[in-house]
Amino acid sequence: MTERNPGFNTLAIHAGAQPDPTTGARATPIYQTTSFVFDDVDHAASLFGLQAFGNIYTRIGNPTNAVLEERIAALEGGTAGLAVASGHAAQVLAFHALMTPGDEIIASKKLYGGSINQLSHSFKNFGWNVVWADPDDISSFERGVTPKTKAIFIESIANPGGVIVDIEAVSKIARKAGVPLIVDNTLATPYLCKPIDFGADVVLHSVTKFLGGHGNSIGGVIVDGGTFNWSREGRYPMLSEPRPEYQGIVLHETFGNFAFAICCRVLGLRDLGPALSPFNAFLLLTGIETLSLRMQRHCDNALAVAQWLSSHKDVAWVSYPGLPGDKYNALAKKYVPKGSGAVFTFGLKGGYDAGVNLVSNVKLFSHLANIGDTRSLIIHPASTTHRQLSDAQKVQAGAGPDVVRLSIGIEDKEDIIADLDQALKG
Ligand SMILES: *Cc1c(COP(=O)(O)O)cnc(C)c1O
């Protein structure tokens, strides 16, 4: 008999999980415990010395969280995952493994507003510097490379502007520079795009959004692509130098193609501490079981809404890569052929005031700062998520005064369109 590799939908339901060995429970139990009993002194010593895998304390690992880690790693085609308290925590831990003060990240300037803040201000306080590059001018990534560059960071589909980044082209630049390409794949999810197939070395997620999908839990995941040589040129000492607190073991030597995930866990999560609650891991796992069904509906609804908006008299422009005339349509066909996601922006001819008016008039849509819920969501970035940015940064991030961002839910598309129709008239 030939072994079949399970398909995406099967992995979304089964990867990482098995009936509970003690009780037979079919759904993954919530292991709501802070700590785990050792078999004996030797067992404890081997766990603390990283000579054996096992549970010690939920800040470092938990069996419910482990299922989430394995599941998302399997869906992304990576070697291992690490679940943490939020998408932003995933970013901090991923860069913490790579950066020392004075080092540089080359980052796309089209990023989620929260990430622009995190990189511009908090990372600066760590001594981590950011060189901004423009995904519409791929060579700007290459021009940003210096001897201090430690990583390149992009989003696959950038929030909020509906920008599709040419992952393969950026990965070639990263490879040539000898640094990993880190891709935030939150808006696409592995259902639409698997960045590792296009040369990404690390994939990050805010699982809060479409992966969890129900707007009920914050969480983040780091996926190790298993592709990067961390020992080359001694650029990544956390991975390639002996660790004093673990009897001098070298993480890359000991853990090979999943050393990055281990490093983020046993140094980053251990010391910085943003652990995910097992209860949230359970809710996020439940969401992932229906990822394919939800994501396809999200995309089909979003395309219908984008088409409807494009012919509306009060709408100046719609930025949805799935529309045939869109600037990113060719890249969308390559990177997200099943659909361009459900988050996109459009511009109102009436500018700032029309944006404020629209978010005040909607009834089915919820006016809030989130994306990737089953429910349709709306926000006017200039007056909310992006208000802390300068006017120039707002425009650069695709959040000018006339811009409205939608996250299209999985309700009936006729109801979604009817709500926008009445709100635009109001
Ligand atoms: C929301 C979001 C984040 C941050 O995730 P949290 O779970 O809110 O910390 C990072 N990147 C993108 C693209 C996001 O949409």
Side-chain angles (χ1 to χ4, degrees):
M1 222 174 78
T2 52
E3 278 279 312
R4 258 187 73 79
N5 284 331
F8 188 90
N9 299 311
T10 305
L11 291 173
I13 293 165
H14 292 282
Q18 53 180 14
D20 183 59
T22 310
T23 62
R26 180 60 273 207
T28 297
I30 304 169
Y31 289 97
Q32 191 69 28
T33 181
T34 54
S35 37
F36 302 83
V37 177
F38 307 121
D39 297 345
D40 52 38
V41 172
D42 289 345
H43 176 228
S46 65
L47 290 176
F48 277 98
L50 299 183
Q51 281 114 14
F53 290 105
N55 300 304
I56 300 175
Y57 188 62
T58 286
R59 170 154 45 72
I60 303 165
N62 173 283
T64 311
N65 299 14
V67 177
L68 180 66
E69 289 160 354
E70 251 190 79
R71 180 140 332 152
I72 296 178
L75 294 176
E76 287 287 2
T79 53
L82 177 67
V84 294
S86 68
H88 267 8
Q91 291 168 202
V92 172
L93 293 199
F95 290 113
H96 172 258
L98 307 177
M99 306 289 287
T100 52
D103 285 344
E104 292 167 5
I105 302 163
I106 302 174
S108 163
K109 56 181 155 191
K110 300 268 168 68
L111 292 179
Y112 168 64
S115 299
I116 293 180
N117 273 332
Q118 187 191 49
L119 270 64
S120 310
H121 306 297
S122 291
F123 281 13
K124 198 170 222 138
N125 290 341
F126 299 158
W128 305 346
N129 299 320
V130 180
V131 175
W132 298 103
D134 182 357
D136 292 334
D137 170 16
I138 292 292
S139 64
S140 65
F141 286 89
E142 191 150 27
R143 290 196 300 276
V145 175
T146 77
K148 291 184 171 164
T149 307
K150 290 294 165 73
I152 298 183
F153 182 51
I154 59 174
E155 290 175 6
S156 47
I157 302 181
N159 179 2
V163 175
I164 309 273
V165 180
D166 191 343
I167 303 171
E168 209 161 43
V170 180
S171 91
K172 285 190 184 130
I173 292 167
R175 200 129 300 168
K176 202 169 139 201
V179 303
L181 173 62
I182 303 183
V183 178
D184 178 340
N185 198 32
T186 299
L187 265 66
T189 81
Y191 173 73
L192 296 177
C193 175
K194 301 211 284 184
I196 294 168
D197 290 348
F198 298 105
D201 300 292
V202 173
V203 175
L204 303 181
H205 277 287
S206 169
V207 190
T208 314
K209 314 294 170 55
F210 293 96
L211 276 170
H214 294 70
N216 59 23
S217 318
I218 304 277
V221 158
I222 299 168
V223 175
D224 187 343
T227 43
F228 195 79
N229 177 7
W230 304 106
S231 301
R232 209 180 95 172
E233 296 166 15
R235 270 194 195 170
Y236 301 99
M238 243 191 225
L239 286 130
S240 66
E241 300 284 318
R243 292 307 309 183
E245 69 271 69
Y246 292 119
Q247 295 89 42
I249 69 167
V250 174
L251 293 177
H252 188 210
E253 213 172 86
T254 307
F255 297 104
N257 71 356
F258 58 99
F260 184 77
I262 294 279
C263 182
C264 292
R265 182 192 302 281
V266 304
L267 300 177
L269 187 55
R270 184 198 64 174
D271 292 351
L272 302 180
L276 178 69
S277 144
F279 182 73
N280 279 11
F282 170 83
L283 292 172
L284 296 167
L285 272 170
T286 305
I288 290 172
E289 292 183 8
T290 55
L291 177 66
S292 303
L293 300 171
R294 286 185 293 103
M295 224 39 217
Q296 194 58 58
R297 172 80 76 86
H298 276 296
C299 289
D300 296 347
N301 281 357
L303 179 61
V305 173
Q307 278 163 341
W308 180 81
L309 282 170
S310 334
S311 57
H312 195 284
K313 66 174 176 39
D314 297 337
V315 173
W317 53 267
V318 178
S319 169
Y320 187 66
L323 291 174
D326 191 85
K327 182 175 165 188
Y328 298 102
N329 191 247
L331 285 169
K333 285 197 173 112
K334 171 170 177 178
Y335 289 106
V336 288
K338 291 199 282 282
S340 295
V343 178
F344 66 94
T345 53
F346 65 96
L348 285 164
K349 288 179 185 161
Y352 190 94
D353 293 342
V356 169
N357 221 29
L358 175 61
V359 297
S360 312
N361 289 342
V362 287
K363 296 195 175 94
L364 179 64
F365 275 82
S366 304
H367 175 212
L368 52 72
N370 188 28
I371 55 169
D373 195 322
T374 49
R375 301 154 191 87
S376 289
L377 314 175
I378 188 167
I379 201 160
H380 179 229
S383 60
T384 54
T385 50
H386 287 62
R387 69 178 306 148
Q388 62 288 40
L389 304 182
S390 70
D391 283 352
Q393 276 179 318
K394 277 185 191 132
V395 172
Q396 254 178 15
D402 62 326
V403 177
V404 174
R405 183 187 76 189
L406 302 178
S407 175
I408 300 299
I410 56 176
E411 303 99 335
D412 289 301
K413 62 176 181 284
E414 295 79 6
D415 291 328
I416 300 171
I417 290 171
D419 190 38
L420 289 174
D421 192 33
Q422 67 78 24
L424 283 165
K425 278 180 190 141

